[in-house]
Amino acid sequence: MNATTQSAQPAQNARPIVRMDKLNKHFGSLHVLKDINLEITQGEVVVVIGASGSGKSTLIRCINGLEEFQQGTLDVAGKTLLPHGKGGQALQKIRTEVGMVFQQFNLFPHLSVRDNVTLAPVSVRGLGREQARDSAIRLLTRVGIEDQADKYPAQLSGGQQQRVALARALAMEPRLMLFDEPTSALDPEMIGEVLDAMRELAREGMTMVIVTHEMGFAREVADRVIYIHQGEITEQGPPEQLFDAPQHARTRSFLARVLKH
């Protein structure tokens, strides 16, 4: 592998909020992530692409400790995660600094939209209930569904539920947002409303790492696109470079398949 494509390309004078050094992840005998070296800087929008099973979702799940890794080091928001899940205090701190939106919405069905958004700030951060409720309305307005605050998840469309999940993650005031294919469970007509909310976050300067199959969205919002193949960073660079002039045959082959659909 060409070392220049495996090393990260942080913006000049920007502080890295994520730094991976020779990170390796195994599921039993399956080597899922192989010597990943990566830096993500504050304010950067990084989009991770690759075929199903390439390791891209595992990569971002390692960042907030949802997956343990076996070798290497990982620094997130100034805290160090160690192999095999060691360093529990660091993990707790990281999870207050990192928000995540999943493929599935994972909302509490028995709670209203507003209560879904206020639960973590009250129970984890100790925020007062009135302050948390005011913050929830601001966040629901930010993602365009403030009029749904008193409804329950089952009364919402998939796109609306995913925007509630986004507001819930933002309620913890994260320094970094992770997105694991947030539109893959949505009907096509609902994808746009979630991507619009994410575009607004990018415009506001939120640091984001996004796993997605939405290539047009990746080209539009990313500062950097990373292509992963079989657990390795094969190529990375600005979207115009990676999409219009990919350097590696594997990248060209992948893009030829996905862009023709």
Side-chain angles (χ1 to χ4, degrees):
M1 181 181 302
N2 188 323
T4 60
T5 60
Q6 172 65 48
S7 60
Q9 303 166 3
Q12 266 192 331
N13 300 322
R15 293 178 300 135
I17 190 169
V18 176
R19 181 187 285 117
M20 294 182 175
D21 183 25
K22 292 184 170 53
L23 187 141
N24 285 265
K25 166 68 181 176
H26 301 262
F27 287 118
S29 61
L30 183 63
H31 199 173
V32 182
L33 297 175
K34 305 170 183 176
D35 284 334
I36 298 292
N37 296 317
L38 177 66
E39 286 190 2
I40 297 167
T41 57
Q42 193 76 46
E44 191 177 17
V45 177
V46 175
V47 174
V48 184
I49 63 173
S52 296
S54 60
K56 55 190 188 296
S57 291
T58 302
L59 176 71
I60 66 166
R61 288 172 66 88
C62 284
I63 292 175
N64 65 350
L66 288 176
E67 295 289 354
E68 296 179 1
F69 57 96
Q70 284 73 45
Q71 294 95 31
T73 59
L74 171 58
D75 294 321
V76 183
K79 301 294 181 182
T80 299
L81 282 177
L82 301 174
H84 305 288
K86 296 177 181 177
Q89 289 185 338
L91 179 56
Q92 291 175 11
K93 178 65 174 174
I94 286 168
R95 286 181 173 167
T96 66
E97 301 272 10
V98 179
M100 188 160 182
V101 177
F102 301 87
Q103 297 178 33
Q104 302 298 328
F105 321 124
N106 299 324
L107 300 176
F108 293 105
H110 63 290
L111 296 180
S112 69
V113 165
R114 190 198 321 261
D115 289 342
N116 264 280
V117 176
T118 61
L119 181 62
V122 171
S123 60
V124 177
R125 291 179 53 216
L127 203 64
R129 290 193 177 277
E130 284 306 311
Q131 186 179 355
R133 288 170 67 85
D134 291 344
S135 176
I137 294 301
R138 286 196 300 272
L139 290 168
L140 292 170
T141 301
R142 189 174 176 185
V143 299
I145 50 170
E146 67 277 9
D147 56 335
Q148 309 296 321
D150 295 320
K151 292 185 178 180
Y152 289 84
Q155 297 174 290
L156 305 182
S157 69
Q160 289 171 328
Q161 289 187 59
Q162 192 62 295
R163 283 186 283 165
V164 175
L166 176 53
R168 180 180 59 182
L170 292 173
M172 291 295 286
E173 299 182 357
R175 295 176 58 194
L176 168 67
M177 282 291 299
L178 308 175
F179 295 87
D180 187 6
E181 299 190 22
T183 61
S184 64
L186 301 178
D187 293 333
E189 64 270 19
M190 298 176 185
I191 290 173
E193 60 193 52
V194 174
L195 295 182
D196 283 344
M198 294 170 64
R199 286 186 184 96
E200 186 59 32
L201 278 185
R203 283 192 289 266
E204 293 172 0
M206 173 64 75
T207 311
M208 303 163 70
V209 185
I210 305 165
V211 171
T212 185
H213 292 289
E214 300 291 335
M215 297 299 155
F217 173 75
R219 180 189 289 267
E220 178 186 349
V221 305
D223 297 304
R224 180 163 39 126
V225 179
I226 293 174
Y227 171 60
I228 293 185
H229 177 74
Q230 294 182 356
E232 297 181 299
I233 296 179
T234 299
E235 186 166 357
Q236 62 180 301
E240 59 273 14
Q241 172 190 314
L242 192 132
F243 285 115
D244 297 336
Q247 300 299 300
H248 289 259
R250 287 172 177 168
T251 316
R252 291 193 291 270
S253 176
F254 171 77
L255 291 174
R257 292 195 307 272
V258 299
L259 294 177
K260 71 180 181 181
H261 294 296

